[in-house]
Amino acid sequence: MTAARLLGTALPAVPLLAAAAYAAPVLSTYGPLRNRVMPRLSGRGRPDHVALTFDDGPDPLSTPLFLRLLDERRVRATFFLLGNQAVRAPGLVREIAAAGHEIAVHGWLHRPLLLRGPRATLDDLARARDTVGDLTGRAPRLFRPPYGVMSTAAHLAARRLDLTPVLWTAWGEDWRARATPESVHRTVTADLRGGGTILLHDSDCTSAPGSWRATLGAVPRILDTCAMRGLSVGPLREHAVDQL
């Protein structure tokens, strides 16, 4: 093989290697692997506690119903808010905070960070963090990427903005059109263990229309199951203080 042909075959490998390095953190999207080898990113915490988290809000139609239910059950949770949703309902953001819930960020737009470059990733997270911080008077410290997909740029941006990425150990697949309270409860509790973090959605802005109703119906059942298993439920700030 001539030098010219060797260079011609080697050069395309350079951008491929760069792309692979950029996308390497996407491996954390695979739940079983993440839960086993990345406990901090998975939100693994105290063995007697379960962290309850909600994504994609706030939504004036659905979020107040979740707040009412959680207040009736005397449970606090962590809400990962989208920046573009927060600016549409600033009073609701403040209401979530005033009710004692922990507020975190889910980015500005619900788009995969893997498809964005470093500058766009940083700008998205910074805009969301600053907007939510201005509305609540307290800078959020936790971040969850849309679709749970991290990239190298997302890790670097989060570190620069003093945000800790947290994913989950159990979810309800509650974004599906065919989700029911029973299916959401069954899916969550199948993977639920002490120290786990539950992912649910209080908004259908990126899910099947009306899917939040299945989630709302499942939450009391999930809380009852946790109680029967001797697990307390609360926000991430009470979950693993030494780790998060």
Side-chain angles (χ1 to χ4, degrees):
M1 179 180 291
T2 65
R5 289 187 64 188
L6 180 61
L7 287 173
T9 57
L11 282 175
V14 175
L16 288 176
L17 288 173
Y22 184 82
V26 77
L27 293 174
S28 64
T29 306
Y30 181 59
L33 174 65
R34 179 180 72 243
N35 295 343
R36 186 178 306 113
V37 302
M38 306 174 189
R40 185 182 185 195
L41 182 61
S42 297
R44 182 68 64 183
R46 292 165 28 205
D48 63 339
H49 187 267
V50 168
L52 179 61
T53 72
F54 295 92
D55 284 8
D56 293 359
D59 187 325
L61 177 64
S62 53
T63 302
L65 300 178
F66 284 87
L67 294 180
R68 185 182 310 159
L69 169 61
L70 294 173
D71 184 62
E72 291 172 353
R73 297 296 296 254
R74 297 183 179 180
V75 171
R76 300 295 174 261
T78 300
F79 286 80
F80 286 88
L81 305 184
L82 288 167
N84 68 333
Q85 290 284 103
V87 295
R88 295 172 185 168
L92 185 52
V93 175
R94 298 187 185 98
E95 183 180 345
I96 297 171
H101 300 288
E102 181 177 33
I103 294 185
V105 293
H106 198 33
W108 184 262
L109 297 172
H110 202 279
R111 294 176 182 171
L113 296 180
L114 192 61
L115 302 180
R116 302 182 184 187
R119 172 50 61 181
T121 298
L122 178 64
D123 290 347
D124 181 272
L125 297 190
R127 189 179 182 189
R129 181 201 64 173
D130 294 347
T131 297
V132 170
D134 288 345
L135 288 173
T136 63
R138 175 178 294 182
R141 66 185 190 92
L142 301 179
F143 155 66
R144 177 175 288 158
Y147 305 104
V149 178
M150 293 293 291
S151 66
T152 297
H155 279 290
L156 294 175
R159 182 179 303 175
R160 180 172 175 179
L161 297 171
D162 198 25
L163 292 170
T164 299
V166 182
L167 300 184
W168 60 86
T169 63
W171 64 2
E173 296 186 354
D174 55 339
W175 63 89
R176 301 175 183 269
R178 63 175 181 268
T180 65
E182 294 78 12
S183 73
V184 174
H185 171 258
R186 182 174 61 252
T187 305
V188 167
T189 55
D191 293 322
L192 186 61
R193 306 288 185 275
T197 291
I198 298 172
L199 162 63
L200 296 171
H201 297 80
D202 63 303
S203 167
D204 62 4
C205 71
T206 66
S207 306
S211 56
W212 60 265
R213 291 183 173 86
T215 310
L216 187 68
V219 170
R221 307 175 190 210
I222 293 171
L223 295 178
D224 289 344
T225 297
C226 289
M228 287 189 294
R229 295 183 182 181
L231 301 170
S232 61
V233 179
L236 281 161
R237 65 175 175 238
E238 299 173 358
H239 190 47
V241 175
D242 294 335
Q243 298 180 39
L244 297 177

